[in-house]
Amino acid sequence: MGLSEHEAEERLAQLRRQRETLDREIADLVLYLELGRRLNAGIPRPAPTPAPAPEPVGEREAPAPAPRVRRPAAPEPVAFAEDPTGARRYGRALVEAACAVLHEAGRPLHAREIHDALIARGFAIPGRDPVAALNTRLWKRSGEGGPLRRHGEAVYGLAGEGDT
């Protein structure tokens, strides 16, 4: 492996940068695992609802009802310690649903209003204070390049709406 001194130093610097990146990722994962373990202790799991039985078809079929806008079902909350990928997926679905709530409202909303709308859609937000947990999640996504903008203390709107 005939490397010159300069090439060896460049390779060493590259490996050190990779190690620093890995160390940061490891620290983040350890933090997420610990947080997930703490939050998982109080997650109530909703009981699955049975599917309605099909109605018997009579001689005449009733006219089809007007199509309703169907929202996708809220995913089941996942503890980070059990499935980190699933927990991240659930977090992204939660933020996407919050964006949909804001879009439907057409105005900035307080985290409590967003929380109530998400609960109505079937989402569960773990933690001792679910509104504060949601507020933190929304705050993290309200930075530059994020889908949300913070308009005040715990008040969020969609990015690009009302921005000048």
Side-chain angles (χ1 to χ4, degrees), residues 108-111 135 139 142 149-157:
L109 297 175
H110 189 273
N135 183 41
W139 172 73
S142 66
R149 288 291 172 259
R150 190 166 187 250
H151 293 272
E153 186 65 33
V155 177
Y156 298 91

Side-chain angles (χ1 to χ4, degrees), residues 12-157:
L12 184 60
Q14 178 187 16
L15 289 171
R16 286 183 175 144
R17 284 190 300 271
Q18 288 175 346
R19 183 177 61 191
E20 289 171 4
T21 301
L22 288 172
D23 287 342
R24 281 193 303 271
E25 285 184 42
I26 289 169
D28 286 346
L29 288 174
V30 168
L31 177 66
Y32 283 130
L33 283 173
E34 181 61 29
L35 181 61
R37 287 183 186 120
R38 289 181 186 175
L39 293 177
N40 190 31
I43 295 179
R45 302 269 184 204
T49 57
E55 297 179 18
V57 179
E59 291 180 19
R60 289 182 61 190
E61 292 185 24
R68 292 190 303 171
V69 175
R70 289 188 48 144
R71 294 184 185 120
E76 188 74 21
V78 179
F80 196 89
E82 294 173 15
D83 181 10
T85 303
R88 286 190 187 105
R89 192 175 304 121
Y90 183 77
R92 284 191 296 272
L94 192 67
V95 171
E96 287 174 11
C99 289
V101 166
L102 289 166
H103 179 73
E104 290 171 10
R107 64 181 178 85
L109 297 175
H110 189 273
R112 165 61 69 184
E113 295 172 291
I114 298 169
H115 171 267
D116 293 344
L118 292 175
I119 295 300
R121 291 181 181 208
F123 282 89
I125 302 167
R128 290 185 189 178
D129 186 351
V131 176
L134 176 64
N135 183 41
T136 300
R137 189 179 298 267
L138 297 175
W139 172 73
K140 287 181 178 182
R141 296 300 307 270
S142 66
E144 188 173 326
L148 302 169
R149 288 291 172 259
R150 190 166 187 250
H151 293 272
E153 186 65 33
V155 177
Y156 298 91

